Amino acid sequence: MRPVPDRLDPDRALLLVVDVQEAFRPHIDDWTPLVAHCDALIRGCRALDVPVIVTEQYPQGLGPTIPELDEALTGVDRIEKRAFSSLGAPEVVARLDQYGRDQVVVCGIEAHVCVQQSVADIRRSGRQAHVALDAIASRTASSREVGVRRMRAAGMVPSGVELALFEMLESAEHPAFKAVSAIVRDLPASFA
């Protein structure tokens, strides 16, 4: 019998937002729901006091993190990287170590490259990788599918925006329940 993955715990979790940048906008078919799901996950994690790390792959060429996420990411630094894996950036590894969190919730672009390689390295580092499948994308459905398969093989825990946030809430008695409920209430239909 397979072990049940650990429940996401806001005291153990951290959100990694991978490369949600301008250059991808015209190439992702389901851009609007992707952005809405990433935004909701960021805002929900912040309501739960879960730290957030944001990466940007070569922003000089791919542009900055999209402005639609600016409000949710107020006060959060963007970490520039050249390696495809987010953990290829020493500053990301330093932040992970600084926060001391062993559960990493992952969202972003592209599922088969930067997200997949980040998840593999998160697993190699001994941490759990909970991937919000409704908040990751690739330019093609087949590339996304291959990326998801590889992440499953690496031991990722499949998750989603509402699943992750409500798992961390654990109960309607949580002080952030109303705020998180309002954040996810009007999410568009998922493309995952």
Side-chain angles (χ1 to χ4, degrees), residues 54-56 65-66 69-70 73-80:
V54 179
T55 63
E56 293 179 339
T65 299
I66 59 169
L69 299 181
D70 282 349
L73 292 172
T74 300
V76 177
D77 295 333
R78 277 59 162 188
I79 299 172
E80 182 176 341

Side-chain angles (χ1 to χ4, degrees), residues 27-51:
H27 304 290
I28 304 290
D29 285 340
D30 296 307
W31 183 259
T32 300
L34 169 74
V35 171
H37 282 83
C38 288
D39 182 66
L41 188 55
I42 294 163
R43 289 188 294 128
C45 282
R46 297 203 71 189
L48 290 162
D49 294 321
V50 170

Side-chain angles (χ1 to χ4, degrees), residues 10-160:
D11 295 325
R12 293 175 57 197
L14 176 141
L15 175 62
L16 176 63
V17 181
V18 180
D19 308 344
V20 185
Q21 294 168 257
E22 276 301 326
F24 294 108
R25 185 185 299 270
H27 304 290
I28 304 290
D29 285 340
D30 296 307
W31 183 259
T32 300
L34 169 74
V35 171
H37 282 83
C38 288
D39 182 66
L41 188 55
I42 294 163
R43 289 188 294 128
C45 282
R46 297 203 71 189
L48 290 162
D49 294 321
V50 170
V52 179
I53 296 174
V54 179
T55 63
E56 293 179 339
Q57 179 72 28
Y58 183 61
Q60 297 85 348
L62 297 177
T65 299
I66 59 169
E68 294 96 312
L69 299 181
D70 282 349
E71 184 179 329
L73 292 172
T74 300
V76 177
D77 295 333
R78 277 59 162 188
I79 299 172
E80 182 176 341
K81 66 184 182 66
R82 294 291 179 106
F84 297 125
S85 170
S86 295
L87 277 69
E91 191 176 343
V92 170
V93 175
R95 294 265 178 98
L96 286 170
D97 292 342
Q98 170 195 340
Y99 288 122
R101 306 293 178 109
D102 68 335
Q103 297 178 322
V104 182
V105 181
V106 183
C107 67
I109 300 171
E110 282 191 272
H112 66 296
V113 183
C114 295
V115 172
Q116 182 272 321
Q117 290 185 34
S118 297
V119 165
D121 283 348
I122 289 165
R123 295 293 299 130
R124 283 186 196 100
S125 76
R127 296 173 176 93
Q128 298 172 18
H130 294 251
V131 180
L133 296 174
D134 54 354
I136 63 169
S138 292
R139 285 171 290 154
T140 67
S142 61
S143 291
R144 183 184 182 284
E145 182 181 330
V146 169
V148 170
R149 280 194 219 148
R150 284 290 297 271
M151 289 185 280
R152 284 185 199 278
M156 70 109 165
V157 180
S159 192

